[in-house]
């Protein structure tokens, strides 16, 4: 900024007015915002579910996000995975190494119900995850979870 810019007066140097919108005029969530919210919930849930299968996260941390049937299924699969994988000499068995969710897509099936898919990449393979999310008491809950 030059000295001339500091001394300038007039409309260009006056602060801009911001329109004030009363809270009663705020529009409800649009589908785009809701889809983003669902994608964020799906991404976090998938990452946590893969970490449960890897044995790096306890399954009970997903109790609020997964319905009881999905939670029991994930817990059963994690137990089977732990039994099937042999530990290296003196180490902890890890089937899923450094998993990362690379993409998430969501599609609205009906009001308050979405189906989402995700791609998870780890050091050994790429896998697909499909899930169904339903809104219950303003909270998204996974009612179906399939990990490929």
């Amino acid at each position: 900024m030059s000295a001339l810019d500091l001394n300038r007066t007039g409309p260009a140097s006056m602060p801009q007015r911001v329109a004030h919108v009363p809270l009663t005029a705020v529009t409800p969530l649009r589908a785009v915002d809701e889809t983003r919210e669902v994608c964020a919930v799906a991404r976090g849930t998938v990452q946590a579910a893969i970490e449960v299968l890897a044995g790096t996260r306890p399954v009970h941390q997903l109790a609020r996000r997964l319905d009881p049937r999905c939670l029991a299924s994930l817990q059963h699969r994690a137990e089977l995975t732990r039994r099937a994988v042999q530990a290296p000499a003196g180490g902890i068995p890890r089937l899923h190494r450094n998993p990362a969710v690379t993409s998430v897509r969501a599609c609205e099936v009906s009001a308050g119900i979405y189906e989402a898919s995700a791609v998870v990449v780890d050091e050994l393979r790429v896998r697909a995850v499909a899930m169904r999310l339903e809104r219950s008491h303003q909270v998204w809950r996974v009612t179906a979870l399939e990990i490929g």
Side-chain angles (χ1 to χ4, degrees):
M1 253 176 138
S2 70
L4 293 175
D5 291 333
L6 293 174
N7 292 328
R8 187 183 329 173
T9 59
S13 65
M14 299 192 76
Q16 299 294 320
R17 299 195 93 193
V18 178
H20 175 56
V21 179
L23 290 177
T24 56
V26 174
T27 58
L29 280 178
R30 295 188 338 245
V32 174
D33 296 335
E34 191 172 76
T35 302
R36 284 186 189 153
E37 180 185 4
V38 168
C39 285
V41 168
R43 179 179 296 276
T45 304
V46 168
Q47 181 71 38
I50 295 296
E51 290 171 3
V52 167
L53 292 180
T56 59
R57 178 186 292 262
V59 72
H60 68 82
Q61 288 185 0
L62 286 169
R64 296 183 73 196
R65 183 66 65 198
L66 300 178
D67 76 348
R69 188 178 46 84
C70 288
L71 188 66
S73 177
L74 181 63
Q75 186 172 16
H76 180 69
R77 182 170 175 175
E79 184 60 34
L80 291 175
T81 301
R82 279 189 212 102
R83 287 183 196 165
V85 176
Q86 297 296 324
I92 299 171
R94 290 200 49 210
L95 179 61
H96 310 287
R97 296 170 191 242
N98 300 323
V101 180
T102 59
S103 69
V104 177
R105 302 281 187 265
C107 178
E108 185 174 20
V109 176
S110 64
I113 300 174
Y114 279 77
E115 290 184 350
S117 63
V119 176
V120 179
V121 177
D122 62 30
E123 291 178 8
L124 302 175
R125 63 191 281 192
V126 176
R127 60 181 64 237
V129 179
M131 60 188 354
R132 182 180 184 97
L133 296 103
E134 298 180 12
R135 179 164 265 183
S136 172
H137 305 292
Q138 303 302 318
V139 175
W140 290 104
R141 192 142 211 190
V142 176
T143 58
L145 178 66
E146 293 294 328
I147 302 173

